[in-house]
Structure formats: C-alpha cells, structure tokens
Amino acid sequence: MAHIQPEIEQYLDFLGQAQSYPEKPDEVQLIQTHASVIALTDQFAYKLKKSVNFGFLDFSTLAQRHSACLEELRLNRRLSKGIYQDVIPIYWDGSRLDFEPIEGEIVNYAVKMRRMQESGFLVNLIQKPDFKLQQMDLLVEKLCDFYQSQEPRPEVLAWGTPEKLSVSIRDNLKSMQEFVGFTVPIWACEIITEKQELFLNHRQGLLLKRIDEGKIQDCHGDLRSEHIYLENDQVHIFDCIEFNESFRFIDQLNDLAFLLMDLEYRGHYDIAHYFAQKIIPKLEEDLVTELLDFYKIYRAAVRGKVNSLKAQEHEIAPKIQEESIQKARHYYQWALKYAVLGSMPTIIAVLGGTATGKSTLSRTLSEFLPIKHLNSDLIRKTLAGVDPFERTPLEEVPRVYSEEMSRKTYEKLLEEGLATVRQEGIVILDATFRQKELMEILHQTTRAAHIRLILVQTTAPEEVIKARLKSREAQKTVSDMRLDTYRPEAFAYTYSIEEFGDLAIYADTTEALEIFIPGLLRKFAAIDQD
C-alpha cells in the first residue's frame, strides 16, 4: 500500500536524531544545499538527495535519486579511495523513517561516506602559515594519473564541439544578465560577454583541435579546494558532478581552471601558480594560456550565478543572503579581471601630478576589480611616523619629504607591491613616479620578475587641479599638497611612459568614472595576454 510521501521537514527531523543511525553517534550536524541534505555523525557522512528538479538536475523520482546515488558512489571512487562506503535505502511506513527495513516502502537513498576531518580539507590547509607549496605535488600526481589514464570515448569527445560548449557558456552569460544591477554592473556584464563571445566565434579551430587530441574527458566537474582532502600523504578528491554528464564531459583544462580560479579567488595566487607550473607541462605540449583564461572567466561567472541565486532564496537567513551577495559580486569581479587582464602577474602603476586624480582612479579600480591598492603618500607618512590623514606640520615637512625619505618610500612601495603580486597576482601602485630613475627601477624589476607592467598616467586641466586642491582645505586627505604650496613645474615629467610600460595609457580624469572605467578596462583587455 502506497503511503503519502514524507516532507523535507520529516527527513530533517529523522536525519538530525542520533538514534536514527546504526552507530548511535554522540551528535549529528546537518548541512543543507539546494539539492541535498548532508548529515555528519562522529564517523560517517550521510548524503540524501532532495526530490527537486532544476532542469540541469532532476531528482524528482525515486528511480532518479537511486541512480544518482549509485553514480555518485561509482564516479567518486575514481579519485577518493576508501571514502565512499555504500548506498543505503531509507524506509517509510507512513509515519516514521528508518534505515532498517520496516513495514512500508523505500522512499529515498543515502550515500554513506567516511567522515573527513575539517583540518584536512585543502580549503582549510591553504589558510595555515606553514602550508608548503610542495603539498600540491600529491594533487598534481593524482590528477595527471586520472586524466592520462582515460581512453578517448566518442560519447565524451562529442561534448567538446564548439556547438555544445557554446550552449553551456551562453546559458551562463544569459543568467548573468539577470543579475545586472544586483551582483554585477551592466558594463562588467558586457565586457565579460564580449570576451567569451569573441573566443567562441574566433577560436573554433582550437576547440576542435582539443577534441582531436583527446583532451575532452570524463572529468570531475566541480574541482575546488573544498572538494580536496589530504590525509597521510594521500589525496582524496570527492563530490564530483554525477547528475549531469554535460557538466563532467569537459576539457581537462576546464576542470583545472575551476581549481586555479578557486585558489586565486581565495587569495592564493602563489599556490595556483605553483600548481599550474607543475601540472600544465605534464598534460600539455602547447601554450594554453588563452584557453585556460577563457575557462577561468566561465568558472568565476558560474560561481557568481550560484551565489546570486542563493542570495534570492527567501527561506535563508538575511545574514546568509548578504554573504551570498558579496560572494557573487566578488566572483563576477574575478570574471571581469580574467576577461581584461588574464592570469599573468601584473603591476598597474597609476602615476601623475598632484590632484590629477591618480588616487581616485586607483581606488575606483581596486573596487571594481579584486586588486590591492598601495598608496605612496600613505607609505611615506607611515614610515615617517606622522598621522596619515592630517596635514604634516610645517616643521616636519623637510624630514618627511627629504630625498632619503622618498627613497625609502619607493623602496617600500616596490617591496610591498612585489609581495602582493606573488600572493595575489596583481597590484595597483599609486605614486607620482616623477623621477625617471624611479620608473627605470620599476621597469627593470618587473622585467626581471616576468611581471607585466601597465602604466596609466592621469592628467587634468590646470583649473581642475586648482579646484581640487582648494577643496582639500575642508577635507582630511593623505596628500599634503594644497593650493598654497602647489607649483606646476614641480610635476613636470622628463620621460614618456611608452618607454617603460607593456601598455601605456593617458587618462583624462575630468571624464566621469562610470564612463571612463569601462573604456579603460577595454584597453586593458586589448593587451597581449600571453
């Protein structure tokens, strides 16, 4: 006799009680996603699939949920030995649920896994100061064996065609348009879309070559630091995509791009760079920078979409909604960053005379892109031990603005800039760089370190500069320059930025920033990304 099916609240009540489990744990912790409920006991994790249908994911029938559980077990055992234990049925007699057979019917299934300790997840390990880059070597070996052991299969390779790939990319771009004004600005949406469409329309030959080379494989599909576990010199990679083959039958670089983007998003460009330098030469013979960046844009935008959707779920707490909004905005910023600058380590030096708008432009760029902004005036005053936001006392001016202090300021600026590039991959240096020898040092240092140097020199008419200096009288600013001390000749440049930058741009800051910034970013996007 068929019974009325249990509601999600009844599943939650059942899974949340310690007596429901054969091992009788001391406590149970429940975690919900849009498609699953995970119960964490002392020793195990039980993952139940909700009866939902999102189009790309359909668990609406018992047969579909059972099949998905069996696939999850099979697929994840490829990369996580000993973690996935079994698929166990859940029974229902019309009033109660049980893992043991009772008079009634099977209404669901749970994937039973060995519980992993939080300290072993890569997402947590990389936060520790003593994390060693060499720990990524185990992951390199694991993934290389995984990709290289697969034989080309026609049904898998077919998903690499430009036609099929473009469906996934364009569906994602269409979703992004729905969040314009919510988690992504319209102009950022346009730039990201333009970059992805440009690749799809002009690099079909490359995509077809990837098929010929057998690079389209049965991958993981959700390769992130949250899904990688290190234990006793063993790497376990779990929670792959089991519910939709089109998300898993992908280019191996699409798979790797997710992890690289994830590491960079979390502020670990150094780890991502090390990992890429180790694994890419083992898997690829050709230069794949352009293709990898294409997939990074896609992956960052996917995470932007996921978090935007989560932020719109009315049943979640306001705090979680706000966190999801901020995450979505940040992911879309990363998609924009990859679209205009790729992954190459980069220093953007914004220079110009006083009150030409270099600091305002630097701050705005750092807000629109995930870039740290280093200001020479702030560094100077910090080194001198004076209040950064108070005008330097007259008697202190000779010391604070001495040649020795200027040398120390620029040394510190470059030191912090290089450290930031190593950690985060990119930085903005906000300073006048009036002396040619200072620019020569910056140029030589970036060349030696294989860092791309973009120079943006701000300009403004004399009357605008004077008006801005006059307005500072009523403000607290880090700059000490005021109208009474301003001398135009003191900010004359004896060199041209074209001599030193990989890209040199002159920026008239009288134009509204909301108009100027998108144009500036499009100029960034035109630079050679290799």
Side-chain angles (χ1 to χ4, degrees):
M1 176 180 178
H3 300 289
I4 297 174
Q5 295 298 296
E7 300 290 338
I8 185 62
E9 289 77 17
Q10 291 167 295
Y11 279 115
L12 293 173
D13 181 62
F14 165 67
L15 293 171
Q17 297 183 42
Q19 60 265 32
S20 298
Y21 300 89
E23 66 270 22
K24 301 296 183 291
D26 291 332
E27 60 179 1
V28 182
Q29 177 187 350
L30 294 184
I31 300 172
Q32 277 202 75
T33 70
H34 61 293
S36 305
V37 179
I38 300 98
L40 300 176
T41 70
D42 301 337
Q43 296 175 275
F44 301 102
Y46 295 80
K47 184 178 179 182
L48 174 145
K49 300 185 187 303
K50 296 178 180 178
S51 178
V52 293
N53 183 356
F54 297 119
F56 64 87
L57 174 155
D58 189 355
F59 295 156
S60 55
T61 70
L62 178 63
Q64 287 168 318
R65 295 194 294 277
H66 188 209
S67 176
C69 285
L70 293 174
E71 274 294 90
E72 182 170 357
L73 195 73
R74 179 185 72 84
L75 291 166
N76 280 291
R77 280 177 170 172
R78 299 178 302 172
L79 289 166
S80 56
K81 184 179 179 181
I83 299 295
Y84 284 76
Q85 306 281 304
D86 202 357
V87 173
I88 56 177
I90 299 175
Y91 297 86
W92 167 250
D93 67 1
S95 61
R96 71 185 180 93
L97 294 159
D98 207 309
F99 284 121
E100 298 296 330
I102 56 177
E103 288 190 13
E105 59 184 332
I106 295 174
V107 290
N108 217 328
Y109 293 86
V111 176
K112 183 179 180 182
M113 306 163 58
R114 176 168 67 84
R115 184 169 181 182
M116 295 167 278
Q117 300 303 311
E118 291 294 321
S119 59
F121 291 114
L122 183 62
V123 68
N124 296 323
L125 288 171
I126 58 178
Q127 305 301 331
K128 297 180 179 179
D130 61 349
F131 181 82
K132 302 228 175 1
L133 292 174
Q134 290 71 24
Q135 290 177 261
M136 299 297 288
D137 292 350
L138 294 170
L139 182 58
V140 170
E141 183 179 350
K142 183 98 175 182
L143 286 170
C144 281
D145 288 345
F146 174 60
Y147 295 131
Q148 292 172 337
S149 65
Q150 294 191 39
E151 293 293 330
R153 291 158 48 196
E155 69 273 21
V156 174
L157 294 173
W159 284 97
T161 63
E163 294 77 17
K164 286 187 177 293
L165 178 61
S166 65
V167 171
S168 298
I169 300 296
R170 287 173 176 145
D171 281 351
N172 195 47
L173 294 173
K174 184 178 178 182
S175 296
M176 180 172 58
Q177 293 170 6
E178 298 172 9
F179 306 122
V180 165
F182 177 49
T183 52
V184 60
I186 185 169
W187 55 265
C189 179
E190 290 171 351
I191 292 174
I192 293 167
T193 300
E194 288 167 10
K195 193 71 173 184
Q196 294 262 273
E197 288 287 355
L198 187 67
F199 186 94
L200 287 173
N201 293 330
H202 295 280
R203 302 298 275 142
Q204 293 190 7
L206 174 58
L207 296 175
L208 292 172
K209 183 180 179 213
R210 300 294 292 176
I211 298 174
D212 293 340
E213 293 174 342
K215 302 297 186 180
I216 313 304
Q217 299 182 342
D218 189 347
C219 295
H220 183 278
D222 200 12
L223 192 62
R224 293 182 281 145
S225 57
E226 296 166 288
H227 298 157
I228 298 169
Y229 184 68
L230 278 69
E231 178 186 56
N232 299 326
D233 293 329
Q234 294 290 320
V235 176
H236 302 278
I237 307 172
F238 61 98
D239 209 14
C240 80
I241 299 291
E242 87 288 343
F243 54 81
N244 192 322
E245 289 182 342
S246 68
F247 293 171
R248 200 178 68 250
F249 293 174
I250 56 176
D251 194 313
Q252 62 188 23
L253 286 180
N254 191 346
D255 217 29
L256 293 174
F258 208 164
L259 178 58
L260 292 170
M261 182 279 297
D262 179 66
L263 291 169
E264 291 168 7
Y265 167 85
R266 296 179 186 281
H268 296 284
Y269 179 87
D270 55 337
I271 299 176
H273 182 71
Y274 177 88
F275 176 70
Q277 293 292 102
K278 285 282 186 174
I279 196 167
I280 298 299
K282 292 178 181 293
L283 297 173
E284 304 289 346
E285 294 181 0
D286 301 327
L287 188 65
V288 293
T289 305
E290 182 188 15
L291 185 57
L292 201 53
D293 285 339
F294 170 74
Y295 284 127
K296 284 184 181 181
I297 299 170
Y298 167 64
R299 289 302 191 173
V302 165
R303 295 303 295 166
K305 175 182 70 174
V306 168
N307 282 279
S308 296
L309 289 170
K310 186 175 181 180
Q312 293 178 330
E313 294 177 8
H314 300 297
E315 63 271 21
I316 66 174
K319 181 182 177 182
I320 303 299
Q321 285 182 327
E322 182 57 32
E323 287 176 357
S324 298
I325 289 172
Q326 295 307 317
K327 283 182 179 179
R329 288 174 178 169
H330 200 190
Y331 275 116
Y332 280 130
Q333 284 181 322
W334 273 98
L336 178 64
K337 183 263 182 186
Y338 291 129
V340 300
L341 290 169
S343 302
M344 185 176 181
T346 301
I347 288 179
I348 301 174
V350 182
L351 60 148
T354 188
T356 57
K358 65 181 181 301
S359 294
T360 300
L361 176 57
S362 296
R363 284 194 301 271
T364 307
L365 270 177
S366 71
E367 291 168 3
F368 287 160
L369 295 172
I371 304 178
K372 187 175 182 179
H373 164 215
L374 300 178
N375 176 274
S376 63
D377 287 329
L378 184 59
I379 290 174
R380 180 188 294 274
K381 287 188 169 183
T382 301
L383 289 173
V386 298
D387 189 327
F389 295 99
E390 292 289 345
R391 194 172 182 186
T392 301
L394 193 59
E395 65 275 12
E396 290 280 12
V397 168
R399 179 180 69 87
V400 174
Y401 290 91
S402 66
E403 285 189 15
E404 181 184 1
M405 187 58 72
S406 292
R407 178 183 55 78
K408 290 180 179 178
T409 297
Y410 277 86
E411 285 177 353
K412 185 67 173 175
L413 178 71
L414 187 53
E415 177 190 334
E416 290 189 13
L418 292 172
T420 302
V421 170
R422 283 192 292 271
Q423 184 68 31
E424 301 178 18
I426 190 166
V427 70
I428 295 174
L429 304 185
D430 166 13
T432 60
F433 284 102
R434 191 170 63 256
Q435 289 83 9
K436 185 176 181 178
E437 57 267 29
L438 294 174
M439 182 54 67
E440 287 173 338
I441 291 171
L442 177 62
H443 179 255
Q444 291 165 5
T445 302
T446 53
R447 292 288 75 70
H450 304 288
I451 296 171
R452 177 174 51 201
L453 178 60
I454 296 176
L455 300 178
V456 181
Q457 186 170 352
T458 55
T459 62
E462 199 69 17
E463 63 271 18
V464 172
I465 291 174
K466 290 180 178 178
R468 289 172 177 171
L469 289 171
K470 185 174 178 60
S471 69
R472 287 183 183 177
E473 300 297 338
Q475 302 171 357
K476 285 190 175 183
T477 67
V478 70
S479 175
D480 281 331
M481 184 61 67
R482 297 294 186 273
L483 188 56
D484 61 345
T485 54
Y486 172 61
R487 300 292 179 271
E489 63 275 10
F491 295 96
Y493 283 79
T494 60
Y495 66 90
S496 171
I497 57 174
E498 287 90 348
E499 299 175 49
F500 301 103
D502 296 299
L503 179 66
I505 299 171
Y506 293 93
D508 181 351
T509 60
T510 56
E511 188 175 19
L513 284 173
E514 60 270 20
I515 298 173
F516 176 76
I517 291 290
L520 178 64
L521 293 178
R522 283 188 167 92
K523 289 179 181 177
F524 287 176
I527 194 173
D528 183 1
Q529 301 291 348
D530 293 338

